[in-house]
Amino acid sequence: MRNIVLPGEMISDRPQRIENTYVENGRTYSKIMGMYEPNSRGVIPLEGSWSPNTEDTVVGVVMEQRNKVFVIDLRFFGRCLLVPGKFDEYSFEPGEIIEAKIKEVENRKTIVLSDGKLLEGGRMIRVKPKKVLRVIGKKNTMINQIREITKTDIVVGLNGLIWMRGGNIELAEEAIFKVEREAHTSGLTESIKQYLETRTKSE
Amino acid sequence: MTMDAMDTVKASHIRTMIAGNAREDGRGAYDFRDIKLTAGLLQNAEGSAQAQIGNTTVLAGVKLDIEEPMPDTPKQGNLIMSAELLPLASEAYETGPPSPQAIEFGRVVDRGIRHGNCIDLESLFIEDEKVWTVFIDLYVLNYDGNLFDAGTLAAMGALMNTKVPKVEDGEAVREDRTKKMKINNIVTSTTFAKIKDKIILDPNGDEEMAADCRLTIATDGEKVKSMQKGKSGGLFKSEIEEMLGTAFNKHKGLKDILESSQV
Amino acid sequence: MGGGPNKPELVIKGKRTDGRDFNELRPIKITASPLENAGGSAYLEWGNNKVMCGVYGPKEANPRHLADPTQAVIKCRYMMAPFSSLSEHGRSGPNRRATEISKVVKEVFENVVMTKEYPGSQIEVYIEILQGDGGTRVAGVTAAAVALATSGIPMRDLPYAVSVGRIGDHLTVDFNMIEDNYSDSDMPMAIAPRNNEILLLQMDGDLTKQQVLDGIQMGIDAGKQITEIQRNALKAAYEATTK
């Protein structure tokens, strides 16, 4: 049974390593508002900002170029830099949208990116970073069905920025926002599938 | 407010859509977003109203204090309008002294209501050297474009809902507020944005950012009471004519919203 | 505080002027996440107090020289709206009282927010008192805790605040405006419910040592109800969208 837990709520009366919790005087407490199922790995956040991790795929906008390094806006409070590797020859213009991977996070606030790739045309939307995992779905099921039914190219950045191009882009966008709104509900993949199919038929 | 790279991307998307006669939220060019007006939601203030146009939320509070009249209008009450862009309303708003944007907002709403003679200022005369000063404070709680129309609706709604305290020995007795303040006229405001050669009504935050220029028209349905152009783009006479026509057409609907909020 | 010659009767036939018992709170209503743009928000009505609270961040500390490389900086602003009181129009902008309240409220959240998780950043807490009727600072803290929870910022606890004072011989919880003006003593406090640690404590007037201790216990007892209201508001905001 998944329950909503709140900051300071005791999760266990013994010390345990559970994500998004802390231990005090031998007891384990949640440090966020989230969903928790007893004996699961962690408290799943309902809200919050993104904490970057190595290998995360991100989407951002090129702000400026300093020598060979590009400053990227990921809507993250720290600095984000795309540093070309030995064989990379980047030529991005300010304002262009790119996809990249996180190579390194320094002191939780400077992000170094690699594998920059231009995302041409299309548009970009923003969802709450904590909802992104639902937009992707288990083993990409959610995002893949949105891609298939709407025929839209979609790149999801774990930082909450999502790039889209082509197909029934309006429907794809609506579906993603629907997932964001209903992220904490169960049976979402199936209900979004039905939503997409009904909407596709009616158009 | 400077445009960062993110805004540039968004702006270019909106400009493309508008050029193709489409809006992000599916509205027609001259459609308002949903409007909600709640009057009388505060009890300490002499008058109050909260206007929501889409996700833009403006709260107006009215206080009446006994003060001296202005030297050139000794038989009339005073009107003082201020606006706060609260930092909780937008990432872009900061603490500190009022920004030029906040000052413009307050002054534009003030002009429509002042020149519309909405408040019967003569009814606010108490005795020689004593009149009521009407303080209207506009509190922006959430910003998503078109503050002007939401601000005018909130201010007008709050004024229509304002009660004047009883005066005893030259002092206000605020516990006794049964007399409604006299309202002479109802002014509404309609704001347009121009993007390339297209005109749209009630721009949301993104549209306002993407726009070349903006025009706010306040009217009582008979006359134009105030106008304010914003941003650097230009307007042709034919465009202004069209916007004036639309502003007059929209007045009735907005006035109905104001009147039905007063229950 | 104190009274003067026009001090009204605050206790009539063993009840308070608004009919409450001495340990009875006014009705409290909280809405979680009412604002679209803020990272977290809460609207609270506590008796006739009406409070809107919004939270932004963590974001890059500004100005940069105020950034702390080891933890997040919390900025807090408590403000009374110029139309918030029944008496005359208030001057806008922070005065000395608001500045002091902003500081002690900030210290509450410096305790519970896990600032070490966001070095170099800042977290902003804005408390706007739209209508004041005694006890606005405790209403503000109670609302801000809910707003912070909706922003997802990690916290050790969900603090609440309440005030306890004295009317004659009676320790009394949650003064309204009249009681606030004419009571003999007032003691606002903020408390972390998981261990009853006291995070804000102010007091003026006069109380015996025992009254201070009994007053704190009275606040803790009343707090159980406040905590419940905070928690229900948060859960309701998420359960409502489930259907």
Side-chain angles (χ1 to χ4, degrees):
Chain A
M1 175 68 189
R2 287 211 302 187
N3 280 321
I4 296 179
V5 294
L6 297 172
E9 187 164 331
M10 195 168 66
I11 299 249
S12 165
D13 55 6
R14 55 202 173 86
Q16 277 187 287
R17 284 175 72 101
I18 300 172
E19 263 176 57
N20 293 314
T21 66
Y22 69 99
V23 172
E24 187 182 78
N25 296 328
R27 292 171 168 177
T28 308
Y29 299 90
S30 179
K31 59 184 184 187
I32 54 161
M33 175 173 64
M35 306 290 296
Y36 180 66
E37 197 171 343
N39 304 317
S40 65
R41 234 182 64 215
V43 178
I44 305 160
L46 282 166
E47 294 288 354
S49 58
W50 165 63
S51 41
N53 287 305
T54 314
E55 289 294 300
D56 281 1
T57 296
V58 294
V59 170
V61 179
V62 178
M63 304 280 286
E64 57 175 320
Q65 183 175 4
R66 290 182 195 153
N67 296 320
K68 291 200 161 163
V69 174
F70 293 87
V71 181
I72 309 296
D73 185 352
L74 297 181
R75 285 288 136 118
F76 175 70
F77 72 86
R79 288 200 312 162
C80 311
L81 306 171
L82 173 65
V83 183
K86 242 183 210 166
F87 307 106
D88 296 327
E89 291 229 2
Y90 297 139
S91 60
F92 302 127
E93 296 292 323
E96 285 182 333
I97 307 173
I98 63 155
E99 151 184 17
K101 275 215 154 45
I102 296 185
K103 197 176 159 203
E104 214 184 319
V105 184
E106 293 169 7
N107 194 18
R108 302 189 81 143
K109 58 174 284 217
T110 300
I111 297 177
V112 181
L113 300 173
S114 67
D115 302 306
K117 217 160 58 189
L118 180 66
L119 298 171
E120 269 188 285
R123 73 169 78 153
M124 192 167 60
I125 58 168
R126 189 182 181 196
V127 299
K128 291 179 177 169
K130 287 290 188 239
K131 313 287 169 151
V132 167
L133 288 180
R134 285 295 257 169
V135 172
I136 295 169
K138 266 187 198 149
K139 294 183 184 153
N140 296 321
T141 44
M142 183 70 83
I143 196 65
N144 280 346
Q145 71 177 10
I146 298 176
R147 283 180 182 131
E148 275 159 29
I149 299 176
T150 64
K151 310 264 185 296
T152 302
D153 292 332
I154 307 173
V155 178
V156 181
L158 288 172
N159 54 327
L161 296 175
I162 298 175
W163 173 86
M164 307 192 292
R165 186 181 61 196
N168 190 347
I169 194 166
E170 308 300 333
L171 182 57
E173 184 176 315
E174 278 171 39
I176 289 170
F177 285 137
K178 194 170 159 64
V179 175
E180 183 190 26
R181 278 196 307 275
E182 298 170 11
H184 55 288
T185 63
S186 50
L188 193 57
T189 314
E190 191 48 38
S191 73
I192 293 291
K193 188 177 175 197
Q194 278 172 13
Y195 169 79
L196 286 166
E197 280 168 352
T198 331
R199 288 289 307 272
T200 311
K201 268 180 219 145
S202 69
E203 272 174 24
Chain B
M1 234 185 301
T2 55
M3 265 231 268
D4 64 15
M6 196 73 70
D7 289 344
T8 316
V9 173
K10 216 187 279 167
S12 92
H13 164 59
I14 284 167
R15 294 176 68 85
T16 315
M17 282 197 88
I18 301 275
N21 293 317
R23 297 177 82 168
E24 253 189 322
D25 51 13
R27 276 187 290 158
Y30 289 161
D31 291 345
F32 267 107
R33 290 167 285 176
D34 286 343
I35 299 178
K36 210 174 122 192
L37 185 65
T38 317
L41 65 165
L42 300 176
Q43 290 75 45
N44 285 352
E46 271 74 62
S48 60
Q50 180 170 299
Q52 279 171 276
I53 303 185
N55 281 328
T56 289
T57 307
V58 180
L59 170 66
V62 175
K63 288 301 293 180
L64 297 186
D65 285 359
I66 298 174
E67 293 194 328
E68 284 178 20
M70 299 291 170
D72 53 338
T73 52
K75 299 278 177 199
Q76 285 186 10
N78 309 312
L79 166 63
I80 296 178
M81 176 99 61
S82 329
E84 286 264 357
L85 309 182
L86 298 181
L88 58 71
S90 162
E91 193 93 59
Y93 295 168
E94 284 169 11
T95 52
S99 63
Q101 197 196 350
I103 290 170
E104 183 194 33
F105 170 45
R107 289 177 58 86
V108 169
V109 176
D110 178 284
R111 281 208 292 278
I113 284 171
R114 191 179 297 273
H115 296 287
N117 275 320
C118 297
I119 306 171
D120 185 357
L121 291 173
E122 278 163 23
S123 75
L124 299 177
F125 174 80
I126 300 167
E127 57 185 62
D128 281 344
E129 301 304 308
K130 272 188 184 172
V131 299
W132 288 109
T133 294
V134 180
F135 291 92
I136 309 177
D137 287 274
L138 300 171
Y139 251 42
V140 180
L141 297 176
N142 200 71
Y143 170 76
D144 188 17
N146 195 8
L147 289 179
F148 300 102
D149 297 355
T152 302
L153 267 181
M156 202 64 237
L159 289 170
M160 289 165 74
N161 161 265
T162 295
K163 306 221 168 46
V164 184
K166 200 172 153 194
V167 180
E168 260 177 32
D169 306 325
E171 302 272 337
V173 184
R174 291 180 201 265
E175 288 71 19
D176 187 347
R177 292 185 300 199
T178 42
K179 197 177 100 192
K180 281 199 116 179
M181 186 168 74
K182 204 171 159 214
I183 298 295
N184 281 338
N185 200 5
I186 293 180
V187 161
T188 63
S189 154
T190 312
T191 294
F192 302 86
K194 181 181 170 186
I195 293 180
K196 288 182 188 156
D197 58 347
K198 298 280 197 292
I199 308 282
I200 53 168
L201 173 77
D202 179 30
N204 66 25
D206 290 343
E207 290 172 335
E208 208 164 85
M209 169 205 49
D212 298 306
C213 80
R214 194 186 67 210
L215 183 70
T216 299
I217 299 168
T219 172
D220 60 359
E222 301 278 323
K223 296 268 181 60
V224 180
K225 292 301 180 181
S226 80
M227 294 203 279
Q228 180 88 343
K229 182 186 158 299
K231 303 192 82 166
S232 58
L235 291 169
F236 295 107
K237 195 177 126 195
S238 58
E239 292 168 335
I240 296 171
E241 188 179 355
E242 168 141 11
M243 289 187 258
L244 286 168
T246 308
F248 276 73
N249 286 339
K250 294 287 174 186
H251 173 73
K252 171 87 176 54
L254 294 169
K255 192 177 165 191
D256 286 348
I257 290 173
L258 278 163
E259 281 167 345
S260 59
S261 74
Q262 306 292 324
V263 276
Chain C
M1 198 106 356
N6 295 325
K7 179 173 169 172
E9 211 52 65
L10 294 179
V11 180
I12 299 159
K13 288 187 187 157
K15 295 263 184 189
R16 296 156 73 179
T17 50
D18 52 11
R20 278 186 292 156
D21 288 327
F22 295 104
N23 62 353
E24 192 178 341
L25 292 164
R26 289 172 285 179
I28 302 172
K29 218 169 83 190
I30 305 176
T31 310
S33 287
L35 299 178
E36 193 69 23
N37 290 344
S41 59
Y43 174 70
L44 171 144
E45 293 186 358
W46 181 322
N48 287 322
N49 291 302
K50 294 177 200 271
V51 182
M52 184 68 89
C53 179
V55 171
Y56 282 87
K59 58 195 209 189
E60 191 149 23
N62 180 36
R64 271 210 194 164
H65 68 267
L66 290 182
D68 180 338
T70 66
Q71 61 181 334
V73 174
I74 295 182
K75 290 188 171 174
C76 178
R77 187 182 80 158
Y78 157 102
M79 261 221 331
M80 301 269 294
F83 45 79
S84 61
S85 107
L86 185 58
S87 58
E88 65 270 25
H89 181 255
R91 272 191 219 117
S92 53
N95 54 25
R96 291 167 61 86
R97 172 182 174 276
T99 304
E100 184 203 339
I101 292 176
S102 301
K103 177 181 175 289
V104 293
V105 171
K106 177 182 85 144
E107 288 159 355
V108 170
F109 293 107
E110 281 173 344
N111 180 292
V112 291
V113 171
M114 297 181 143
T115 52
K116 293 269 190 286
E117 303 213 357
Y118 304 101
S121 75
Q122 75 181 22
I123 293 165
E124 299 161 6
V125 179
Y126 298 109
I127 298 170
E128 307 289 347
I129 309 299
L130 305 177
Q131 181 160 292
D133 187 36
T136 57
R137 83 192 65 188
V138 297
V141 168
T142 303
V146 174
L148 275 160
T150 65
S151 79
I153 292 170
M155 290 195 284
R156 274 177 204 90
D157 210 345
L158 192 69
Y160 65 88
V162 64
S163 103
V164 173
R166 181 171 67 82
I167 302 173
D169 296 333
H170 300 282
L171 282 176
T172 309
V173 86
D174 184 24
F175 282 160
N176 63 27
M177 184 64 103
I178 300 166
E179 292 170 333
D180 204 19
N181 288 343
Y182 295 102
S183 66
D184 302 296
S185 192
D186 185 22
M187 181 167 68
M189 55 191 120
I191 294 170
R194 81 181 184 296
N195 59 3
N196 291 332
E197 208 174 354
I198 291 153
L199 308 178
L200 175 155
L201 184 64
Q202 297 179 294
M203 185 274 192
D204 51 24
D206 66 278
L207 293 176
T208 65
K209 266 193 290 189
Q210 195 54 47
Q211 282 169 333
V212 168
L213 299 175
D214 292 347
I216 289 171
Q217 191 53 48
M218 210 167 171
I220 290 172
D221 291 342
K224 295 196 177 86
Q225 218 179 317
I226 305 170
T227 294
E228 204 50 36
I229 295 164
Q230 287 174 307
R231 299 173 61 88
N232 288 342
L234 283 164
K235 290 185 175 174
Y238 289 87
E239 275 156 5
T241 46
T242 322
K243 293 289 150 220

